């Protein structure tokens, strides 16, 4: 017993003080892109983007963060250094069109409508569905349950049954084999309900865009209330999006 208590004393408090304290991210973390204006329109970055997330019109870059894999192909291929990646982990939006980034401030996710916020603001139960994902987004979602992030302190929990849930959290490109299962899971949710999509695959199809065996995003099947981009998104990116949806990070 004393050994257990001594070990716990040595470990100290492990839960990070987010959102009051900004997270400590690794140096190699790739967050919100930074776009400079001295483009020569060589379009090398556009050619090297594996998901066609990047386009250049009249010398101005536009990045679809819903398709972006944050692979850095664009920044590595640009001789002018027009594109780089910052440590800004805040990427979530309420609509897909808000994910089109041109260098201006990203319109971050706004809270749910008043009625839904009254229902879910203090207690949100989510059923997570992996619709053909590679387990990258799934792992970074599941890690939120550990004591470092302690998702439950915000009143958010993952549940085993859709009948006990307030919404779906979907990862993966929605393969044809998972389409019916996803629709049935959504139908089993009691009203009112919300849908959250996590990762490039769930938002746009990711690297599988236009493949005949996948859908180009969950919103081709179900209505979506929150988009969390990344490949995979960092746990803090996911947590930030969830808290914004619940009105817990409006001014940050």
């Amino acid at each position: 017993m004393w050994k257990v208590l001594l070990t716990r004393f040595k470990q100290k408090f492990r839960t990070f003080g987010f959102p009051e304290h900004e997270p400590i991210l690794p140096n190699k973390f790739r967050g919100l892109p930074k776009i400079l204006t001295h483009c020569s329109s060589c379009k090398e970055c556009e050619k090297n983007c594996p998901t066609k997330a990047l386009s250049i019109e009249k010398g101005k870059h536009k990045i679809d963060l819903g398709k972006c894999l944050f692979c850095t192909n664009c920044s590595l291929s640009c001789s002018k250094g027009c594109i780089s990646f910052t440590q800004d982990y805040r990427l979530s939006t309420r609509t897909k069109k808000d994910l089109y980034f041109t260098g201006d401030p990203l319109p971050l996710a706004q809270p749910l409508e008043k009625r839904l916020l009254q229902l879910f603001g203090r207690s949100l139960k989510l059923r997570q569905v992996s619709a053909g994902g590679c387990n990258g987004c799934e792992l970074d979602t599941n890690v939120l349950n550990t004591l470092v992030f302690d998702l439950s302190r915000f009143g958010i929990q993952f549940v085993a049954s859709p009948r006990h849930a307030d919404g779906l959290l979907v990862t993966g490109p929605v393969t044809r084999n998972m389409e019916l299962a996803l629709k049935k899971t959504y139908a089993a949710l009691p009203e009112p309900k919300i849908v959250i999509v996590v990762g490039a695959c769930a938002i746009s199809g990711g690297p599988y865009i236009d493949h005949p065996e996948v859908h180009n995003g969950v919103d081709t099947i179900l209505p979506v209330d929150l988009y969390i981009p990344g490949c995979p998104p960092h746990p803090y990116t996911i947590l930030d999006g969830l808290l914004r949806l619940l009105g817990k990070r409006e001014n940050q």
Side-chain angles (χ1 to χ4, degrees):
M1 180 65 180
W2 287 110
K3 287 183 179 180
V4 173
L5 292 174
L6 182 60
T7 301
R8 183 67 187 87
F9 179 76
K10 288 180 178 179
Q11 289 179 348
K12 299 182 179 180
F13 192 75
R14 290 297 184 92
T15 303
F16 193 78
F18 184 84
E20 288 78 13
H21 301 284
E22 285 296 301
I24 300 171
L25 299 167
N27 292 331
K28 292 184 178 181
F29 173 75
R30 300 188 290 268
L32 185 69
K34 181 179 180 181
I35 299 175
L36 302 179
T37 57
H38 52 265
C39 179
S40 61
S41 296
C42 68
K43 296 199 174 185
E44 283 301 314
C45 55
E46 185 178 330
K47 295 174 187 175
N48 285 287
C49 181
T51 57
K52 308 302 179 187
L54 176 63
S55 60
I56 301 176
E57 298 176 7
K58 297 180 180 179
K60 189 173 183 180
H61 294 78
K62 181 168 72 172
I63 302 175
D64 184 350
L65 296 177
K67 293 180 179 179
C68 182
L69 305 182
F70 296 80
C71 65
T72 72
N73 277 10
C74 54
S75 59
L76 293 174
S77 61
C78 181
S79 59
K80 298 286 185 178
C82 294
I83 301 176
S84 60
F85 289 86
T86 71
Q87 291 236 311
D88 192 347
Y89 60 93
R90 300 167 300 173
L91 300 169
S92 305
T93 65
R94 289 294 306 276
T95 66
K96 205 169 188 177
K97 67 177 183 179
D98 286 339
L99 290 172
Y100 287 98
F101 181 70
T102 59
D104 297 325
L106 192 69
L108 296 171
Q110 295 298 307
L112 288 165
E113 294 70 24
K114 184 177 179 180
R115 175 171 169 267
L116 293 178
L117 203 57
Q118 289 175 338
L119 289 171
F120 305 144
R122 296 178 63 186
S123 176
L124 178 66
K125 311 298 184 186
L126 297 172
R127 175 68 171 98
Q128 197 269 325
V129 176
S130 176
C134 70
N135 280 337
C137 294
E138 291 81 357
L139 286 172
D140 279 349
T141 298
N142 291 339
V143 78
L144 292 175
N145 291 313
T146 64
L147 57 85
V148 174
F149 301 96
D150 193 11
L151 185 65
S152 61
R153 65 192 162 115
F154 302 108
I156 307 171
Q157 293 179 319
F158 292 104
V159 295
S161 170
R163 298 193 183 279
H164 302 157
D166 303 308
L168 290 184
L169 189 148
V170 186
T171 56
V174 191
T175 59
R176 297 294 177 188
N177 287 340
M178 280 299 298
E179 179 181 357
L180 181 59
L182 180 61
K183 288 180 177 178
K184 285 187 174 182
T185 304
Y186 179 75
L189 290 167
E191 295 284 353
K193 49 193 173 185
I194 61 175
V195 176
I196 299 164
V197 294
V198 174
C201 287
I203 295 174
S204 64
Y208 312 104
I209 292 174
D210 294 330
H211 192 284
E213 292 302 318
V214 303
H215 290 272
N216 288 346
V218 174
D219 59 7
T220 61
I221 304 172
L222 305 175
V224 174
D225 298 279
L226 180 68
Y227 296 85
I228 305 178
C231 186
H234 193 279
Y236 279 120
T237 300
I238 302 171
L239 183 54
D240 175 75
L242 294 175
L243 294 183
R244 289 182 186 281
L245 191 68
L246 298 181
K248 301 179 186 293
R249 291 212 81 194
E250 292 184 65
N251 300 317
Q252 296 172 298

